[in-house]
Amino acid sequence: MGLILTYIILTVYSISLMLIFFYSLAQLNLLVNYLGNKRRNQTAPKFNLLDPKEIPYVTIQLPVYNEEYVMERLLENISKIEYPKSKLEIQVLDDSTDDTVIDTAKHVKVLRETGLDITHITRTNRQGFKAGALKEGLEIAKGDFIAIFDADFLPDSDWLKKTVIYFKDAEIGVVQTRWGHINRDYSTLTRIQAFALDAHFTLEQVGRSSKGHFINFNGTAGIWRKECILDAGNWEGDTLTEDLDLSYRAQLKDWKFKYLEDVETPAELPVVISAARSQQFRWNKGGAENFRKSVWRVLSAKNISFKTKFHGVMHLLNSSMFLCVFLVALLSIPAMYIKAIYPHLDWVFSLLQFFVLSTIILFVCYWFTFKSIQGSSFDKFIDYIKLFFTFFAVALGFSLHNTIAVLEGHMGKRSEFVRTPKFNINSITESWKGNKYLAKKLSPNMIIEAVLMVYFLFGMYSAIPLNDFGLFPFHFMLFLGFGFVFTKSLTSRA
């Protein structure tokens, strides 16, 4: 191995390790904020919904696209929202291209006959995808406040009463609620997804919002002030995460976001890995696209503090951490051989301690988010340890898939908004087999993931002749993670 190539590998390896460490430090700071927020007694002005003069007009938007399995459930659930009918409008923003549009029209008609102000709005094209549908609906929306729910969300009947009241504060542009998971325990995959989302909706959202740093509307289970949407420039479809985009544009214009950790909005998690893949790809590519679009605006803004800028940049770089993780993983095996060939470079490998420290920091941070929802008994802690390392391994297994998404986002490669297939699965006994929206082809990424599984098996083997077992646990988790993602991807094709 040439000396120049050796130094290139070690430089990329070291920079990636340090970026991961800085990310973990940012998470640790959010944990401190989160724990501090728990001790604060917060009060806020609220609308008095018992006074008819204070009840605001609300439009609920339901952006949907080919939702055969959950459409009826969605409409029935939304029709049970407790709110004065004279102050409530429901828009079904239907971009469907299959037969569901006919069934939805029939269901909307039945609900309208009950006295509900509900309209079925269809488009002949998907221009702007979800952002385009929301924007078109906004043009004719009657409400001063716009609540948004994706097709797999099931808000409680009193959801509006718990959220719209906070808009009495004229500075608040968005109220966001925490996602719940109706099928958390369906499988290992759903438990992992719930674990990751819980961390975002506790540690990150509370940790940022408690100190006035930028947070994001999560695309659903939240409510906007219509004036805020328009003032921030309205919905734009030039990224795959239009919610993050509009959130940053609004907060750069000094709108405040209110996050309600105590208000849970149940939803269904993807139960097969192909559905999780499409969701992960969209979220991670959209995050990188928004970094390109918004980072300079954040850094050059004169109305926000340095610390808010720091957390804003780290927030926009969240998905890019997969690129750093993948580079560390990929280069870790050549690094083992470099260490054996060039003993004088041994000092570089002390940087691995930062990766171990990063893992410990994340372990601590995620424990606090886990116990806030699941409890903190000894048995729960044992469950947490198993879940954390399962999550860690599978996250490593997703690193190739998400790295490709991140690179496409940073390079500006445009792609279609691919919806996440829904299943209407609420219990362990229900099956996803036969879902017509699932991908049926073996993708090139899956083949590469199989190769990487073997590659990290080789990394484990290499520890024996090199007599260097420092990276053995890391390579073992990579082997398990890529093995899990590959085998589950094979079995989830309908």
Side-chain angles (χ1 to χ4, degrees):
M1 189 179 294
L3 201 56
I4 294 177
L5 179 59
T6 294
Y7 280 112
I8 290 173
I9 289 173
L10 292 182
T11 299
V12 174
Y13 187 68
S14 302
I15 291 173
S16 298
L17 281 170
M18 294 309 298
L19 287 173
I20 293 169
F21 179 64
F22 285 130
Y23 171 78
S24 69
L25 290 179
Q27 295 294 100
L28 183 60
N29 181 247
L30 292 179
L31 175 63
V32 173
N33 295 348
Y34 175 75
L35 296 176
N37 184 71
K38 288 291 185 183
R39 294 189 289 270
R40 289 171 59 193
N41 182 20
Q42 297 179 335
T43 58
K46 302 182 181 84
F47 284 125
N48 177 13
L49 298 184
L50 297 177
D51 182 352
K53 294 179 182 177
E54 288 205 33
I55 300 174
Y57 206 124
V58 176
T59 294
I60 297 177
Q61 291 186 323
L62 308 174
V64 297
Y65 173 69
N66 294 352
E67 305 288 4
E68 177 179 329
Y69 302 100
V70 295
M71 201 65 221
E72 182 177 350
R73 183 182 73 178
L74 170 69
L75 293 174
E76 283 300 314
N77 186 78
I78 293 298
S79 70
K80 294 180 174 66
I81 291 286
E82 297 168 357
Y83 204 74
K85 288 187 177 180
S86 61
K87 293 292 184 75
L88 180 65
E89 172 195 33
I90 300 170
Q91 292 181 336
V92 182
L93 307 175
D94 194 351
D95 279 2
S96 298
T97 55
D98 63 4
D99 292 341
T100 58
V101 71
I102 299 171
D103 294 332
T104 299
K106 291 177 182 177
H107 206 132
V108 167
K109 185 178 181 224
V110 170
L111 291 176
R112 193 183 303 117
E113 290 170 354
T114 67
L116 203 60
D117 183 1
I118 181 169
T119 54
H120 186 211
I121 302 170
T122 60
R123 301 196 298 170
T124 56
N125 62 69
R126 291 185 70 205
Q127 184 175 352
F129 304 111
K130 180 180 176 181
L134 293 171
K135 187 174 182 178
E136 283 200 24
L138 191 69
E139 291 177 2
I140 57 173
K142 302 172 187 175
D144 297 314
F145 301 96
I146 313 295
I148 300 170
F149 298 103
D150 284 347
D152 50 334
F153 278 74
L154 301 166
D156 293 338
S157 59
D158 61 350
W159 190 91
L160 274 180
K161 294 178 181 178
K162 292 178 178 177
T163 54
V164 76
I165 52 176
Y166 291 97
F167 284 104
K168 186 161 188 177
D169 182 345
E171 293 185 338
I172 290 179
V174 173
V175 172
Q176 174 68 51
T177 64
R178 177 172 60 85
W179 294 6
H181 318 291
I182 61 176
N183 60 335
R184 175 192 295 271
D185 295 320
Y186 182 84
S187 66
T188 299
L189 179 64
T190 56
R191 284 190 287 272
I192 290 167
Q193 292 174 90
F195 180 81
L197 287 168
D198 287 346
H200 168 70
F201 280 98
T202 51
L203 173 71
E204 294 185 350
Q205 291 288 63
V206 176
R208 292 190 183 105
S209 64
S210 65
K211 294 297 183 181
H213 305 321
F214 286 9
I215 65 170
N216 60 298
F217 167 65
N218 293 101
T220 177
I223 182 168
W224 284 82
R225 187 186 297 271
K226 185 177 181 179
E227 179 190 352
C228 173
I229 297 175
L230 297 175
D231 183 54
N234 214 324
W235 296 103
E236 295 178 359
D238 56 348
T239 73
L240 293 180
T241 46
E242 71 296 320
D243 44 7
L244 179 60
D245 171 33
L246 185 58
S247 296
Y248 267 67
R249 285 189 278 122
Q251 288 167 109
L252 283 168
K253 298 205 76 172
D254 289 327
W255 286 99
K256 308 301 181 189
F257 281 32
K258 179 77 174 178
Y259 177 64
L260 304 177
E261 183 187 6
D262 295 333
V263 179
E264 179 182 292
T265 309
E268 180 184 328
L269 293 161
V271 295
V272 294
I273 209 161
S274 59
R277 275 179 178 276
S278 64
Q279 188 177 73
Q280 286 286 310
F281 193 90
R282 189 173 72 248
W283 287 352
N284 285 289
K285 181 172 181 177
E289 288 175 329
N290 274 289
F291 178 83
R292 269 176 59 109
K293 182 173 182 177
S294 300
V295 70
W296 178 245
R297 299 181 196 177
V298 171
L299 290 173
S300 60
K302 292 181 170 43
N303 58 331
I304 57 177
S305 68
F306 172 80
K307 199 164 186 180
T308 295
K309 290 180 181 182
F310 170 76
H311 277 289
V313 172
M314 294 306 296
H315 187 189
L316 292 169
L317 277 174
N318 261 0
S319 64
S320 299
M321 286 302 108
F322 278 106
L323 172 60
C324 295
V325 169
F326 183 67
L327 287 172
V328 167
L330 199 64
L331 298 177
S332 62
I333 296 175
M336 289 174 63
Y337 284 91
I338 290 171
K339 184 179 178 182
I341 297 169
Y342 302 107
H344 66 285
L345 295 175
D346 185 68
W347 64 272
V348 174
F349 297 90
S350 61
L351 290 174
L352 262 179
Q353 296 173 25
F354 285 104
F355 187 80
V356 174
L357 186 56
S358 299
T359 305
I360 294 171
I361 290 172
L362 293 178
F363 180 86
V364 173
C365 290
Y366 286 5
W367 162 242
F368 281 96
T369 67
F370 177 89
K371 76 173 186 175
S372 71
I373 297 173
Q374 301 294 319
S376 57
S377 66
F378 179 75
D379 288 343
K380 289 292 184 182
F381 182 67
I382 298 302
D383 290 341
Y384 168 74
I385 293 173
K386 292 186 288 188
L387 186 57
F388 177 84
F389 285 104
T390 303
F391 157 76
F392 198 75
V394 175
L396 292 173
F398 265 106
S399 61
L400 168 69
H401 179 76
N402 292 342
T403 291
I404 293 170
V406 166
L407 289 175
E408 285 191 8
H410 283 304
M411 292 187 296
K413 181 181 178 182
R414 301 299 301 275
S415 60
E416 183 177 317
F417 185 105
V418 179
R419 61 178 285 283
T420 305
K422 314 299 191 309
F423 301 86
N424 193 12
I425 289 177
N426 304 315
S427 70
I428 295 173
T429 58
E430 293 178 288
S431 175
W432 50 267
K433 296 289 186 181
N435 187 299
K436 70 180 186 181
Y437 299 127
L438 287 176
K440 296 178 173 60
K441 294 180 179 178
L442 184 71
S443 71
N445 286 7
M446 289 168 57
I447 297 170
I448 299 173
E449 284 160 356
V451 171
L452 287 168
M453 178 179 66
V454 176
Y455 176 68
F456 292 112
L457 181 63
F458 170 73
M460 293 160 60
Y461 165 77
S462 298
I464 300 171
L466 294 175
N467 195 29
D468 185 352
F469 293 89
L471 285 169
F472 190 91
F474 184 44
H475 291 153
F476 179 61
M477 294 186 74
L478 283 159
F479 169 73
L480 291 179
F482 279 105
F484 178 89
V485 171
F486 172 67
T487 55
K488 289 292 183 182
S489 297
L490 275 182
T491 57
S492 72
R493 291 179 302 133

